[in-house]
Amino acid sequence: MKAVLTVVLLAVAGMLSGCATGMSEQACLTADWRTVGFEDGVAGRQPSTIGNYRTQCADAGVTPDLDQYLVGHTQGLETYCQPSNGYRVGERGGQYHGVCKPEVEDAFLAAYDEGRTLYTLRSDVSRLERQLANAEERLIALEVEIQTLTLEVIRDGLTPEERLALLARAKEADERKEIVEADIVSLREALAISREELQLYAGR
């Protein structure tokens, strides 16, 4: 009875966690649940993931072997919870789901935080590079627009009203150009700072 209750609770928790991978009917029929648990442990998934497999395998008439799954999962966590892996998970921007035992979690999280900081610094540089590239593209587009409007203003055959309207559009485009130019200066400064921070952190 206790084992059945445990399976039910894990199934509910697994559905809530939303971190399980899909399993086909054929995979359910041939699954080595100790291996499945090991793979989930190595991936840092919660043991409640077996609840998702229980739901996915129901149509195949297969009930996951909880005991074997947990044995494999525990073994997988021994690999996952190494500090070196914590650093890799953080560096990739991965999420930690609180699966490591208290006696090893502090070391894992310390390494994870170091990797996560590197990931954040790299992400900041990439974000600023994209923003700068977009701003430079907008500047080019505005310069083309201003040039086109300037040539249009001096075109023969325009009414005074049409000429004034074109001048107003050119002035508005020039004002937007000044704003974009200021943004570019700020972005270049911010990018230089972010690159320096990344270089200093990566070179520690």
Side-chain angles (χ1 to χ4, degrees):
M1 181 65 183
K2 183 177 180 181
V4 173
L5 179 59
T6 302
V7 171
V8 173
L9 290 174
L10 287 174
V12 173
M15 287 184 287
L16 292 175
S17 69
C19 60
T21 55
M23 181 171 284
S24 67
E25 181 175 333
Q26 182 60 33
C28 291
L29 292 170
T30 60
D32 177 343
W33 291 106
R34 183 168 180 167
T35 299
V36 174
F38 179 82
E39 291 172 350
D40 283 349
V42 168
R45 300 190 184 102
Q46 296 173 338
S48 57
T49 298
I50 194 173
N52 298 69
Y53 299 141
R54 187 171 189 273
T55 300
Q56 293 162 3
C57 294
D59 290 341
V62 174
T63 299
D65 187 326
L66 175 61
D67 291 336
Q68 286 298 303
Y69 178 89
L70 292 178
V71 168
H73 190 271
T74 299
Q75 292 173 338
L77 286 182
E78 292 176 2
T79 298
Y80 175 83
C81 294
Q82 294 295 318
S84 58
N85 185 62
Y87 184 88
R88 285 192 294 270
V89 173
E91 185 184 12
R92 294 195 304 266
Q95 298 295 319
Y96 172 59
H97 298 289
V99 293
C100 297
K101 293 180 180 179
E103 56 266 30
V104 298
E105 188 174 52
D106 286 347
F108 175 90
L109 286 177
Y112 172 85
D113 288 341
E114 286 190 15
R116 187 75 183 186
T117 298
L118 182 59
Y119 169 80
T120 299
L121 290 171
R122 286 173 175 168
S123 298
D124 288 343
V125 169
S126 296
R127 173 180 54 81
L128 288 167
E129 286 176 341
R130 290 193 302 271
Q131 291 178 344
L132 178 58
N134 290 335
E136 290 174 339
E137 288 178 2
R138 292 200 305 273
L139 179 60
I140 292 172
L142 284 167
E143 288 174 341
V144 171
E145 181 182 352
I146 291 169
Q147 184 178 19
T148 301
L149 290 169
T150 301
L151 293 174
E152 187 70 12
V153 167
I154 62 176
R155 182 170 59 85
D156 293 335
L158 294 178
T159 66
E161 291 78 11
E162 289 173 333
R163 208 175 303 278
L164 285 173
L166 287 170
L167 285 170
R169 288 175 57 192
K171 180 181 179 182
E172 190 271 336
D174 191 62
E175 291 173 349
R176 283 187 284 129
K177 176 174 173 284
E178 291 179 0
I179 294 174
V180 173
E181 287 174 334
D183 288 342
I184 288 175
V185 171
S186 297
L187 286 168
R188 284 175 176 167
E189 292 175 351
L191 179 57
I193 293 172
S194 289
R195 282 174 172 167
E196 183 178 1
E197 290 177 345
L198 173 59
Q199 184 177 8
L200 289 173
Y201 189 84
R204 292 176 309 146

